[in-house]
Amino acid sequence: MSEVVRQHPAFKYMRKQFLPHIWCPGCGNGLILAAIIRAIDELGIDIDETSFVTGIGCWGLTGNYINADWLHTTHGRALPMATGLKLMNPKLKVFALTGDGDLAAIGGNHFIHAARRNVDLITICSNNMIFGRTGGQVAPTTPEGKYASTSPYGNIERPFDLCRLAEAAGATHVERWTVMHPVPLTKAIKKAIEHKGFSFIEVLSPCPVQYGRKNKFRNPSVLYNWVKEQSVSIKKAQDMSEQELEGKFIIGEFVKKENIPDLSAQLLKLQESFENKS
Ligand SMILES: Cc1ncc(C[n+]2csc(CCOP(=O)(O)OP(=O)(O)O)c2C)c(N)n1
Ligand code: SF4
């Protein structure tokens, strides 16, 4: 491994034996991982006080690279596993890392209930708008008209807006950024770590190999530029019509509600009420 890599500030948080990583050249996932590590480093959190729970898929492999406790669960099940871990160890900072297919397709029900229950988790969804790991099948986040191996004539379904879904289900901290916004993304993750309740950070992360190739983005930078050009700040979006916002990705902070009891706090309250009776 090169000296430059060894001297990188993130290196101390990495599981060195698994480097170099296996993501494809141009994949956005490494940029999200870098933002997570920057957030932990800037907050000065002891990595031993964190735990990572992942589902299956390319983004689900992230636990390989962070030198923290890691629970690699089954497809779609990162959130219920993370919920159990958090309830048993309320002091742990529990990250749930999920792909968009993982979170919104097979794990969709867990997603809305974790948000409804306001479980104190840092949920980071890498949204590449497709099933990356398994060959580019259509996901509930694939934009209308875009191509996937299972929608060769273009996707005819309307995609989920994951942030609005989290908000409607009761999440108390919700933000969307892209991997081209590393500074606000890191800030959002820091806020999520410090937030008491269900934090949901969606990150638009280009997948040049599956999404890019199937949709005729001739190289990764064309795809990255497209994602960036389609992004509109939540403030600017307020003055735009529905037609103007068609196909755009709204980025920014959607929700930040304080002092809403999280599930651990509710359980503790219940436990105390029993203790007071006896
Ligand atoms: C129960 C179950 N169903 C299906 C699969 C196959 N599978 C593995 S990864 C994956 C999709 C991954 O897509 P996404 O969650 O968006 O993550 P990405 O690979 O794009 O990061 C699927 C369907 C599985 N492993 N387990
Ligand atoms: S298939 Fe896509 S998401 Fe998976 S590692 Fe390759 S570029 Fe990244």
Side-chain angles (χ1 to χ4, degrees):
M1 202 167 296
S2 79
E3 211 31 52
V4 178
V5 173
R6 282 179 194 288
Q7 283 172 8
H8 194 280
F11 198 60
K12 65 174 186 272
Y13 299 103
M14 308 294 287
R15 228 188 277 275
K16 285 119 189 143
Q17 65 271 35
F18 292 117
L19 294 174
H21 64 71
I22 64 148
W23 291 316
C24 310
C27 177
N29 286 343
L31 294 164
I32 313 177
L33 172 60
I36 294 173
I37 286 176
R38 257 195 317 274
I40 290 173
D41 190 51
E42 286 175 18
L43 288 177
I45 286 172
D46 181 353
I47 197 84
D48 289 338
E49 286 168 14
T50 67
S51 254
F52 287 79
V53 184
T54 60
I56 307 294
C58 297
W59 179 234
L61 295 170
T62 308
N64 273 312
Y65 307 119
I66 307 175
N67 200 9
D69 285 338
W70 172 36
L71 196 61
H72 191 35
T73 69
T74 48
H75 194 42
R77 307 296 183 245
L79 284 171
M81 297 288 189
T83 301
L85 186 57
K86 182 70 193 182
L87 293 183
M88 287 308 293
N89 300 273
K91 286 197 179 124
L92 268 184
K93 303 270 181 207
V94 180
F95 287 77
L97 308 183
T98 77
D100 51 307
D102 195 21
L103 179 88
I106 195 167
N109 209 28
H110 297 303
F111 177 38
I112 54 175
H113 289 288
R116 174 182 68 82
R117 291 165 153 170
N118 197 28
V119 190
D120 188 15
L121 298 174
I122 305 134
T123 301
I124 302 179
C125 174
S126 168
N127 181 2
N128 56 13
M129 299 174 270
I130 206 156
F131 283 18
R133 189 88 192 133
T134 40
Q137 294 83 1
V138 74
T141 44
T142 306
E144 230 174 322
K146 291 292 182 193
Y147 295 91
S149 56
T150 47
S151 57
Y153 306 109
N155 179 25
I156 55 168
E157 299 174 3
R158 281 179 303 143
F160 271 139
D161 180 328
L162 296 180
C163 287
R164 297 290 186 207
L165 185 59
E167 179 178 9
T172 47
H173 176 212
V174 180
E175 302 202 25
R176 179 187 294 122
W177 295 100
T178 84
V179 294
M180 279 77 77
H181 298 88
V183 175
L185 173 59
T186 306
K187 206 170 151 200
I189 299 172
K190 281 164 76 175
K191 274 195 270 171
I193 293 172
E194 292 186 318
H195 181 74
K196 196 96 188 100
F198 190 76
S199 276
F200 176 66
I201 313 291
E202 176 187 348
V203 192
L204 290 161
S205 173
C207 165
V209 170
Q210 297 297 353
Y211 189 84
R213 280 189 188 158
K214 287 179 179 57
N215 287 288
K216 308 272 180 290
F217 290 97
R218 68 178 189 284
N219 63 45
S221 69
V222 178
L223 176 58
Y224 276 71
N225 284 336
W226 174 74
V227 173
K228 196 168 183 191
E229 280 158 16
Q230 294 303 103
S231 302
V232 177
S233 78
I234 193 161
K235 198 159 178 261
K236 197 168 167 205
Q238 281 164 0
D239 300 322
M240 291 170 73
S241 67
E242 224 170 276
Q243 282 91 332
E244 286 171 318
L245 284 171
E246 190 74 43
K248 299 277 188 244
F249 306 121
I250 301 177
I251 54 169
E253 183 189 275
F254 287 68
V255 182
K256 185 81 169 79
K257 290 183 189 161
E258 308 297 341
N259 303 323
I260 302 206
D262 67 291
L263 188 60
S264 302
Q266 296 286 67
L267 267 179
L268 192 67
K269 206 166 116 193
L270 182 67
Q271 202 180 344
E272 281 168 358
S273 74
F274 283 119
E275 280 164 7
N276 291 341
K277 274 187 202 150
S278 59

